[in-house]
Amino acid sequence: MRNRYLTLAPVLALVAAFAVCPAASAASEPRLLINQDFPDPDVVKTPGGYFAFSTSTGSGRVPVATAPAPEGPWRITGDALGAVPAWAKPDGGFWAPDVTQLPDGTFIMYFSGAKTAGGEMCVGAATASKAAGPFTPAGDQPLICVPEDHGDIDPQTFLDADGTRYLLYKSDGGATGAPAAIWTQKVEADGRTFTGPRTELLRADLNAEKAVVEAPSVVKTASRFLLFYSADTFQSSGYHTCYASAPTVTGPFVKADAQFLSTELLGGKVDAPGGADVVDGHIYFHGWLGGARTARGLYELPVSFPNDVPRLG
């Protein structure tokens, strides 16, 4: 935008700073799939059914749930992470797992954990022969732990049509300096060797985002790449899901003018919808259960992409 309309740059910057992602049309009824704590969901489709993974809860370090179909019935079946990584605090929790299958058939799980030395959040990996695990931590150091990021969380894999694999994640940002941002970097077939420099995809630059962008998830449509992400603080009812669009998986991404999932858009039926993952024509996300906000359940809505634009219901 700035390159094409240089004379409007100050005005556009002011508009962007106060943008609030105007509401889109109301969605169809969200379906509650898991009525207990299952935050930051990642859903995987396999020939043997569907698997879902969540941030640490009372059900395990990385709870895993299974279902025969996207709509369920879903059932939490155990803990997918078989051991605590050597570099991580055992009581620090493991956040926002992402599971994908490598070319050799191995399944790899990415997750965030608190580093024993220093306590900052870093991204690690674990492998298993089956989608449900148990996953064995790989290596004695995290994969991603950039000091200037002030924490790296929310890993998410994207596999392009040509077989190129990317790992997306969020840098937390600090009280001073750069705000939170979402990055991507190419990764080789082993899932743990990075190639080339990382690329920033977007950062928290709108007032409505409250300095937070996180939980990235990329979808390839007919001619675009859509990056779904959450914004605002997860404890707030203002927590919501937006998306950005780009001609390539590395950008440049342009944020949509409207929110995609929000408490208001969903008619109050889901409180603070976020952590979205799009799989097989469905968007999965979490929302607070009850007024106490002590647990986030797993919800689902059908989603389609006419003219490269996501549409619910």
Side-chain angles (χ1 to χ4, degrees):
M1 185 72 75
R2 286 194 296 270
N3 291 338
R4 294 178 60 196
Y5 302 106
L6 293 176
T7 58
L8 294 181
V11 178
L12 293 173
L14 183 63
V15 171
F18 289 93
V20 186
C21 277
S25 58
S28 59
E29 190 79 11
R31 187 195 307 263
L32 178 58
L33 301 179
I34 297 179
N35 191 17
Q36 66 185 86
D37 203 16
F38 202 83
D40 305 315
D42 174 66
V43 177
V44 179
K45 179 185 179 181
T46 75
Y50 290 79
F51 296 84
F53 306 85
S54 87
T55 284
S56 297
T57 71
S59 298
R61 287 180 286 260
V62 174
V64 56
T66 61
E71 301 86 354
W74 284 88
R75 183 172 63 93
I76 297 177
T77 57
D79 188 346
L81 186 56
V84 174
W87 54 267
K89 291 183 176 181
D91 57 351
F94 300 95
W95 300 358
D98 173 73
V99 173
T100 187
Q101 192 169 22
L102 300 175
D104 66 359
T106 300
F107 287 88
I108 186 167
M109 173 194 290
Y110 302 100
F111 54 86
S112 304
K115 197 173 181 183
T116 303
E120 68 271 28
M121 297 298 293
C122 304
V123 174
T127 59
S129 59
K130 300 182 296 183
F135 285 81
T136 301
D140 58 4
Q141 295 295 326
L143 288 181
I144 303 169
C145 204
V146 182
E148 58 266 29
D149 286 353
H150 302 281
D152 295 298
I153 64 172
D154 293 357
Q156 181 75 26
T157 304
F158 175 74
L159 185 64
D160 208 349
D162 64 0
T164 305
R165 189 175 297 270
Y166 297 85
L167 186 64
L168 291 82
Y169 60 95
K170 170 205 177 179
S171 61
D172 278 338
T176 60
I182 292 173
W183 305 81
T184 190
Q185 192 168 7
K186 287 183 182 180
V187 62
E188 293 184 3
D190 65 0
R192 301 193 299 275
T193 303
F194 293 105
T195 60
R198 67 178 185 171
T199 300
E200 181 183 318
L201 302 182
L202 55 81
R203 62 176 52 235
D205 56 7
L206 302 179
N207 278 5
E209 294 166 347
K210 304 292 178 62
V212 176
V213 291
E214 59 189 17
S217 180
V218 171
V219 175
K220 175 69 169 68
T221 62
S223 60
R224 304 289 291 178
F225 292 83
L226 304 184
L227 170 57
F228 291 88
Y229 63 96
S230 300
D232 203 334
T233 55
F234 75 93
Q235 301 97 331
S236 165
S237 287
Y239 195 63
H240 60 274
T241 299
C242 281
Y243 72 93
S245 176
T248 73
V249 69
T250 55
F253 279 93
V254 176
K255 295 178 180 179
D257 292 330
Q259 293 179 5
F260 190 64
L261 298 173
S262 71
T263 305
E264 180 182 2
L265 278 172
L266 297 179
K269 295 180 175 63
V270 181
D271 183 10
D277 191 23
V278 178
V279 179
D280 201 24
H282 302 262
I283 186 166
Y284 299 89
F285 52 96
H286 67 228
W288 290 109
L289 300 171
R293 292 188 179 171
T294 57
R296 287 169 285 175
L298 174 64
Y299 291 86
E300 173 270 339
L301 276 165
V303 64
S304 58
F305 300 92
N307 300 316
D308 299 315
V309 176
R311 178 179 296 172
L312 294 173

